Amino acid sequence: MKPFKIIGMLSLVAVIALSCQRTPKVEMITISNHNGMSATFTNYGARITSLIVPASDGTFKDVVWGYDTVEEYYASSDLYCGPIVGRYGNRIGKGRFVLEGKEYFLTINDGENHLHGGSGGLSTKVWNMEKISDREVKMSILSPDGEEGYPGNVEITVYYTLNYDNSLDIKYEAVTDAPTIINLTSHAYFNLHGTSKYSTNSHILRINAAHFTPTDEGLIPTGEIASVGGTPLDFRVPTAIGERIDEVSFEPIAFAGGYDHNWVLDKEREFSLAAEVFEPSTGIVMQVWSDQPGLQFYSGNFMDGKDIGRGGDIHGYRTGIALETQNYPDAPNHPDFPSPVLRPGEVYKHLTRYSFSLNAF
Ligand code: GAL
């Protein structure tokens, strides 16, 4: 038999195998460590639903947004409450990119652009979930060739590990059978008050970045790498989020309606401290460590209070922040940005650590 016929048959078998895959049951799993810190996950979107950490008054606070039922996660999927987003987290201009001379068109789900892997992205899928130890959960999924417009059958694995030092590791791996692009990140919303009753504007934030990627009004990077110096985006010195968030005379703040930008991390791809946040009223400090080149800090500017979370907690304007470690937005269309390309034989790897303490900085 001719080689291309064998390849054709094998692809057909692969497609049939994919379409016969049974959707796993939606479940929740909790892991904990010896300090009383615990984390809960659901395989709907491989998402984190609860993260309970110690506060300075001796109580424990749930510092991520969540809901009481799985149905509520389905209903609010476009808020991206806690899932793994991808295949390309963040935006791709007009949902279009060229890879190895071929043009690809992705689902458009944010104005004229592609956001967080599209309307049927990884955050909407039911993943395989397995508790592999008391402190570790493994999520895996096969994203078929053509899903949301992306090339290649991509196998993705995400490990959530709760460490003894009160940190949560998120380790990502992916392989592909054809050249593709990838940018996976966690879209947890944090509120270190432990409730959305209080705005995250009071949090003190530090970001280890001297530069950011300016965008157009649709939040697509222009390609420029600009200095944060002298702008409301300069968080090299710890500053309350609310202090400069409404300085709309600075165009990037006006475009985003607050903070919703990609910071170019000083340490590029070295695993290092990207940012830290502190809430004075609870004493909770969260550090974000990562090997990714960018950090998207979103200050909840689109939140309108219509979404109701766990125990009736109203998800109001700026009551949750996302600190998404990732490649830069629209990198597939900017050869000067770090490459998001994954080829057969390569392994995409990404490690991010959210670390909790009561040691104010
Ligand atoms: C963020 C993004 C925001 C918004 C949000 C979801 O990651 O930066 O612009 O789309 O997700 O509401």
Side-chain angles (χ1 to χ4, degrees), residues 17-276:
L18 277 176
S19 52
C20 292
Q21 276 195 129
R22 272 209 262 126
T23 306
K25 222 172 100 206
V26 173
E27 289 171 307
M28 310 280 266
I29 285 182
T30 298
I31 51 176
S32 50
N33 71 9
H34 69 310
N35 299 324
M37 179 173 170
S38 68
T40 302
F41 307 91
T42 172
N43 51 340
Y44 174 63
R47 80 186 62 219
I48 182 160
T49 61
S50 163
L51 188 61
I52 297 179
V53 306
S56 57
D57 63 359
T59 63
F60 283 81
K61 307 273 184 206
D62 199 335
V63 292
V64 296
W65 274 18
Y67 302 100
D68 291 322
T69 64
V70 168
E71 288 69 29
E72 288 165 284
Y73 287 95
Y74 298 140
S76 64
S77 65
D78 57 352
L79 270 174
Y80 303 96
C81 186
I84 298 300
V85 290
R87 295 190 195 182
Y88 203 94
N90 217 315
R91 292 176 171 81
I92 295 182
K94 301 199 168 61
R96 175 208 162 271
F97 66 96
V98 175
L99 180 60
E100 302 198 333
K102 192 169 169 212
E103 192 172 24
Y104 292 92
F105 294 95
L106 305 172
T107 320
I108 301 299
N109 62 332
D110 185 63
E112 57 178 11
N113 301 317
H114 176 84
L115 174 70
H116 294 331
S119 43
L122 298 174
S123 57
T124 69
K125 304 289 184 218
V126 181
W127 295 47
N128 300 301
M129 178 167 70
E130 198 187 333
K131 187 170 181 174
I132 52 177
S133 80
D134 287 349
R135 294 183 296 108
E136 191 163 27
V137 171
K138 176 183 175 189
M139 306 272 189
S140 59
I141 199 162
L142 201 155
S143 176
D145 180 42
E147 187 163 71
E148 299 296 301
Y150 290 95
N153 291 295
V154 177
E155 281 174 50
I156 300 163
T157 313
V158 174
Y159 296 90
Y160 286 106
T161 310
L162 202 51
N163 301 309
Y164 291 122
D165 64 357
N166 282 2
S167 62
L168 177 76
D169 282 0
I170 311 179
K171 195 172 91 189
Y172 308 73
E173 282 173 9
V175 290
T176 181
D177 65 358
T180 192
I181 56 165
I182 193 150
N183 185 31
L184 304 174
T185 191
S186 162
H187 208 282
Y189 287 114
F190 295 96
N191 186 322
L192 304 185
H193 289 285
T195 163
S196 312
K197 279 196 195 79
Y198 307 108
S199 166
T200 38
N201 278 353
S202 58
H203 291 9
I204 313 293
L205 174 66
R206 189 167 81 82
I207 303 179
N208 275 333
H211 297 91
F212 74 108
T213 50
T215 67
D216 64 16
E217 280 173 88
L219 303 184
I220 301 297
T222 58
E224 191 195 344
I225 306 279
S227 167
V228 296
T231 81
L233 268 63
D234 191 349
F235 279 98
R236 288 173 293 181
V237 172
T239 310
I241 291 173
E243 200 168 307
R244 301 164 299 177
I245 198 168
D246 288 318
E247 287 186 12
V248 290
S249 56
F250 183 59
E251 198 173 64
I253 290 275
F255 283 173
Y259 293 112
D260 197 356
H261 306 90
N262 169 58
W263 273 256
V264 172
L265 295 172
D266 289 344
K267 288 284 179 62
E268 284 261 314
R269 290 202 185 248
E270 194 182 308
F271 184 74
S272 57
L273 181 62
E276 44 193 345

